[in-house]
Amino acid sequence: MKIVVIDGQGGKMGAAIIQELLIAHVSADIIAVGTNSSATCAMIGARPTAGATGENAVIVNCRDADYVIGPMGIIVADALHGEITPAMAIAVGQSRGKKILLPSTRCNTHIVGVQDQSLNEYIKLITAQIK
């Protein structure tokens, strides 16, 4: 199984997701893909199987992912303060893998009916979904 975790900005959300997956002993290759080098470095610190940075890394790794995990903005072009390119959003959207998105109001997109929970609670739900 291949899990792609995509994050931008400082990469803290992605690092927390990777840590939780490893604590839960999810049997998978976990690929950390940062939209910038700072995000990638933060996620690498959580000890994924591999890490990569940038648009092409998102495109290539989404092709054969079983799961793509990240903030809701990874499906919205120009989100994360412009770090998500249209090509990245398309790659995530076209991935055959199941998308697990964390709700965030930072990308000016709101999903009606989503419960207001802490990031830690959402991350635990991710692990439960994969198991």
Side-chain angles (χ1 to χ4, degrees):
M1 177 168 44
K2 179 179 177 182
I3 300 172
V4 176
V5 178
I6 302 171
D7 199 6
Q9 303 292 292
K12 291 179 184 176
M13 181 185 293
I17 292 166
I18 292 165
Q19 287 174 343
E20 183 65 28
L21 291 170
L22 293 174
I23 289 168
H25 301 291
V26 172
S27 179
D29 285 330
I30 301 172
I31 313 301
V33 181
T35 60
N36 63 62
S37 59
S38 295
T40 304
C41 285
M43 290 190 286
I44 291 292
R47 300 220 178 283
T49 308
T53 304
E55 180 180 83
N56 198 56
V58 170
I59 293 167
V60 169
N61 283 288
C62 284
R63 284 183 194 146
D64 61 350
D66 295 297
Y67 289 92
V68 178
I69 303 172
M72 182 170 43
I74 65 174
I75 61 167
V76 179
D78 301 331
L80 300 175
H81 299 286
E83 291 185 21
I84 301 298
T85 67
M88 289 173 164
I90 289 169
V92 172
Q94 290 180 340
S95 175
R96 68 171 180 82
K98 184 170 188 170
K99 289 81 164 168
I100 301 178
L101 306 172
L102 286 134
S104 172
T105 57
R106 292 183 180 179
C107 61
N108 260 353
T109 305
H110 178 76
I111 299 176
V112 175
V114 173
Q115 298 174 341
D116 188 19
Q117 295 187 22
S118 73
L119 177 59
N120 288 335
E121 291 169 323
Y122 280 127
I123 291 172
K124 290 196 182 299
L125 289 173
I126 288 170
T127 303
Q129 179 72 38
I130 292 174
K131 282 188 157 189

